[in-house]
């Protein structure tokens, strides 16, 4: 969970958080570390290996939520993702989809994968990615790739909307 659990989705706040992430330097170190909120101790993202990602929104817990109510919660979460994608398409043009099927299978098989995808899998961020790039970012306007995804690690867990920024192209992994 994150410190955003159950807070309302506000598109301008999500875009501000994305903008702050896009403007920061990207750590090139190979070691990927999780960030924690200094007050709550909750997960606040991950960074390293030429990328960083942060949560933008987290739904309420879905423990004990079933049928129609669960479907409604999913529709709301997907609506937040759509609103974000529409705004980013307005800024940067059409996105491309980078599927997470191959990383998921590699995770299950315990096969190696690039650090970006490994970190997503390690944090149960398995939703397909909507990707833009290169776009200008970083302190010097360097090329960056931006990816957003909607995730849920199991049926009771909250939905989690996440943004990733990388200093290298985000491309779909080849199916071996």
């Amino acid at each position: 969970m994150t410190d955003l659990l159950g807070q309302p989705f506000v598109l301008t706040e999500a875009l501000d958080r994305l903008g702050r992430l896009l403007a920061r330097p990207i750590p090139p170190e190979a070691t990927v570390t999780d960030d924690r909120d200094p007050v709550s101790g909750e997960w606040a993202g991950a960074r390293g290996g030429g990328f960083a990602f942060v949560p933008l929104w987290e739904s309420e817990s879905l423990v004990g939520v079933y049928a129609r109510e669960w479907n409604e919660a999913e529709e709301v979460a997907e609506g937040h993702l759509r609103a974000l994608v529409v705004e980013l398409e307005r800024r940067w043009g059409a996105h491309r989809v980078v599927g997470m099927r191959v990383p998921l299978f590699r995770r299950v098989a315990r096969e190696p994968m690039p650090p970006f995808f490994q970190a997503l899998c390690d944090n149960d961020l398995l939703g397909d990615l909507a990707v833009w790039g290169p776009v200008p970012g970083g302190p010097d306007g360097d090329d960056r790739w931006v990816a957003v995804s909607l995730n849920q690690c199991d049926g009771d867990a909250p939905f989690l909307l996440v943004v990733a920024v990388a200093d290298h192209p985000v491309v779909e992994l080849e199916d071996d």
Side-chain angles (χ1 to χ4, degrees), residues 16-142:
D16 286 347
R17 196 169 180 128
L18 183 158
R20 288 191 302 273
L21 181 65
L22 187 59
R24 292 195 314 218
I26 300 279
E29 301 85 29
T31 303
V32 177
T33 58
D34 281 344
D35 294 331
R36 297 279 168 192
D37 181 88
V39 176
S40 68
E42 298 288 356
W43 183 79
R47 61 183 47 254
F51 65 87
F53 50 86
V54 298
L56 297 176
W57 171 79
E58 185 175 16
S59 75
E60 296 282 348
S61 171
L62 297 173
V63 172
V65 177
Y66 303 102
R68 184 179 53 81
E69 290 175 348
W70 193 94
N71 291 337
E72 289 171 358
E74 181 181 38
E75 287 174 17
V76 167
E78 288 173 348
H80 297 334
L81 175 62
R82 272 191 308 278
L84 183 59
V85 166
V86 164
E87 178 57 28
L88 295 178
E89 285 184 335
R90 188 185 68 71
R91 292 178 182 193
W92 297 323
H95 71 280
R96 57 191 171 74
V97 175
V98 172
M100 288 295 291
R101 182 183 62 80
V102 172
L104 176 60
F105 288 139
R106 287 189 185 177
R107 173 187 178 180
V108 170
R110 300 185 195 278
E111 294 176 359
M113 65 184 106
F116 179 84
F117 289 102
Q118 185 66 56
L120 290 172
C121 288
D122 289 348
N123 286 283
D124 290 322
L125 303 173
L126 304 174
D128 288 345
L129 306 167
V131 178
W132 293 264
V135 300
D140 300 319
D142 297 330

Side-chain angles (χ1 to χ4, degrees), residues 42 48 98 109 121 127 151 165 168 175:
E42 298 288 356
V98 172
C121 288
N151 307 275
V165 174
H168 57 276
D175 197 2

